[in-house]
Amino acid sequence: MKKFLLSLVLVLCLGLPGAAKALYTCQFGANYNQESVSNYTTTWQVKVNDNTWSIANFNNNKNGWDYVRCGRKGIASVASITTDFAIAEAINNVEVTIDKITAKAINSIKLETSAAADFSTIDATVDMAAENFKSGAMVFALESPKANLYYRLTFDCGDTGTANGLIQISAVTYNNAEETPIETVADIAAFIAKADKNPTIFSGNVEVIYQIGSYLFVKDNSGRLLIYGKLDQTYKPGDVIPGGFMGTYGTFGGEPQLINPTDLKAAIAHNESAPRTITLSEITAANKLEAVAINGVTISQINNRDITFQQGETTFAGYNQFSITLPEGYENVTFNVTAIIGCYNGNLQVQPISIEKADSSAITEIGADDNAPVEYFNLQGIRVENPENGLFIRRQGNKVSKVIIR
């Protein structure tokens, strides 16, 4: 099978002379931020694959943004993005993706390189001209690229007295000018089997499973995949995305994903799509990255972003990957959950997209009567004539209770 999958990879040495090859990319968002930050005064880290960056005086809105912001209202401040590792390759340029910037309030922006992790000695400094303080790709070109250097970007922000967040950054890419082979894959299975960091073009179409913020889950006949990053498109489940988009291979929690997506086009078709209804006990590895509906579950515990779901005798771990608002009063309440089945370090997780109270209106009170007939309902309030193997609601007269029937 592996040999067959690899045969689907078509290598097109397009040989873009002088084209920048992205060797490392610093990204932001819940997949990469190592700390939840809601201020402009903290130093924290981002981790992409096996590399980390120190992020000083940038806000990530408690991991709610797939970008970061720096600059404080009423107070001058200096923010920075620094590699915690020496880059082994010689870097020709560093590209900062500036989403928004209040240029008049910025004192200076510069890139420094150093052979020392603490920047006790500076190898090179590139000052960005003030006329380039604008949104888009801000490129710092290095005249004498060298190997084994650390890189520090510094953003000196003045005080506008109006608002926080003078600069918004969604990515920092470290490039060299080597000729870059661009590979084309036919489908998701081939992309996962290839598993290298060269830019990759998908030639085949994919269908949207779900999109929530920067998370785009897609599928084709060969498998499912998460596309993560700045998408520039909003899709609905069932939308068909045409082939021709590009990205690179990455992992998070041991699971493959496509990062740095580009050229995602508007949908060319739409298939009717809805999450498949399953139970907690039915979840297996075959459900990874599938959108599912799990009705009639209870929540036994919420600890920060960790959630424990229960259904009958089955307990399953959940994680608030998409930072949705979780219910506060969840004890003795039944919920219907729409979720993506995620996986982190080999452990399956229910990652909720929505959690809503189950409708129990089908169960109504009747007068008290110990001799009244016994009726059973499932957790959605639908009457069941012959209940077996599960958790049910038992009603006799005005007495209602949950029972497990085996």
Side-chain angles (χ1 to χ4, degrees):
M1 175 62 77
K2 184 175 181 181
K3 184 176 180 181
F4 172 72
L5 293 177
L6 289 174
S7 69
L8 295 176
V9 181
L10 307 176
V11 179
L12 302 182
C13 291
L14 300 181
L16 303 176
K21 180 180 180 181
L23 297 180
Y24 303 90
T25 300
C26 175
Q27 291 184 269
F28 308 101
N31 274 1
Y32 306 108
N33 300 341
Q34 300 300 292
E35 188 173 342
S36 173
V37 176
S38 60
N39 60 62
Y40 294 84
T41 59
T42 299
T43 298
W44 46 283
Q45 284 186 315
V46 159
K47 184 175 183 181
V48 180
N49 296 323
D50 295 325
N51 301 312
T52 62
W53 283 257
S54 289
I55 314 298
N57 299 334
F58 278 91
N59 188 357
N60 63 36
N61 192 32
K62 296 184 178 179
N63 291 332
W65 295 334
D66 56 0
Y67 50 82
V68 291
R69 291 176 175 174
C70 68
R72 300 176 63 190
K73 176 182 178 180
I75 302 175
S77 64
V78 177
S80 61
I81 299 174
T82 309
T83 61
D84 293 333
F85 60 103
I87 295 181
E89 299 86 352
I91 296 298
N92 292 74
N93 67 72
V94 176
E95 181 176 322
V96 183
T97 302
I98 305 288
D99 303 322
K100 298 177 182 178
I101 186 169
T102 305
K104 64 181 180 180
I106 309 305
N107 296 323
S108 66
I109 303 176
K110 66 181 177 181
L111 170 70
E112 296 171 297
T113 64
S114 175
D118 62 358
F119 285 79
S120 54
T121 58
I122 301 298
D123 182 79
T125 300
V126 181
D127 291 299
M128 184 56 58
E131 58 264 28
N132 294 324
F133 291 178
K134 53 189 176 181
S135 59
M138 181 178 288
V139 180
F140 296 82
L142 291 157
E143 293 183 0
S144 302
K146 296 180 182 178
N148 300 312
L149 294 178
Y150 294 84
Y151 293 76
R152 179 171 67 190
L153 288 157
T154 302
F155 306 84
D156 188 340
C157 301
D159 165 28
T160 63
T162 56
N164 291 322
L166 303 178
I167 305 174
Q168 179 177 309
I169 298 172
S170 56
V172 179
T173 304
Y174 302 78
N175 309 304
N176 71 9
E178 293 180 0
E179 193 170 280
T180 305
I182 298 180
E183 302 180 8
T184 296
V185 295
D187 55 27
I188 289 172
F191 175 78
I192 293 173
K194 185 174 72 68
D196 65 47
K197 297 179 181 179
N198 285 326
T200 302
I201 297 175
F202 268 75
S203 63
N205 300 340
V206 294
E207 181 179 327
V208 175
I209 299 171
Y210 223 95
Q211 179 183 355
I212 181 167
S214 301
Y215 299 83
L216 174 61
F217 299 90
V218 298
K219 65 180 179 180
D220 60 20
N221 290 332
S222 72
R224 306 185 190 101
L225 182 68
L226 167 62
I227 298 175
Y228 182 84
K230 189 175 182 181
L231 303 173
D232 295 325
Q233 292 284 348
T234 300
Y235 300 104
K236 297 179 180 179
D239 281 350
V240 177
I241 302 173
F245 60 91
M246 184 185 299
T248 56
Y249 180 92
T251 60
F252 179 73
E255 296 297 312
Q257 58 182 339
L258 184 149
I259 60 175
N260 303 327
T262 59
D263 296 324
L264 285 164
K265 300 296 192 298
I268 56 174
H270 180 80
N271 300 319
E272 290 302 317
S273 177
R276 188 166 63 92
T277 300
I278 64 174
T279 63
L280 288 179
S281 62
E282 293 175 323
I283 298 173
T284 68
N287 302 113
K288 279 198 297 186
L289 302 190
E290 182 180 3
V292 299
I294 312 169
N295 298 325
V297 301
T298 57
I299 298 175
S300 61
Q301 185 179 23
I302 295 177
N303 182 15
N304 294 323
R305 299 177 76 173
D306 295 315
I307 314 164
T308 303
F309 293 105
Q310 287 188 301
Q311 189 178 48
E313 296 183 332
T314 302
T315 299
F316 212 98
Y319 186 74
N320 189 15
Q321 181 69 40
F322 312 120
S323 301
I324 68 169
T325 300
L326 299 177
E328 295 182 0
Y330 57 84
E331 295 84 355
N332 302 316
V333 179
T334 303
F335 298 95
N336 295 336
V337 177
T338 303
I340 295 292
I341 303 303
C343 189
Y344 187 80
N345 291 339
N347 299 310
L348 295 174
Q349 299 174 328
V350 173
Q351 298 176 351
I353 297 168
S354 68
I355 301 177
E356 299 178 354
K357 288 185 178 180
D359 182 8
S360 59
S361 59
I363 302 175
T364 59
E365 293 187 4
I366 63 175
D369 185 355
D370 291 340
N371 295 318
V374 176
E375 297 173 288
Y376 292 93
F377 300 82
N378 64 19
L379 296 176
Q380 288 73 53
I382 300 173
R383 184 171 176 172
V384 179
E385 293 295 335
N386 298 300
E388 59 180 4
N389 299 327
L391 179 64
F392 297 87
I393 298 173
R394 180 184 186 274
R395 183 177 71 180
Q396 184 178 25
N398 65 349
K399 297 179 180 179
V400 180
S401 61
K402 289 182 180 179
V403 294
I404 296 175
I405 298 178
R406 296 182 174 87

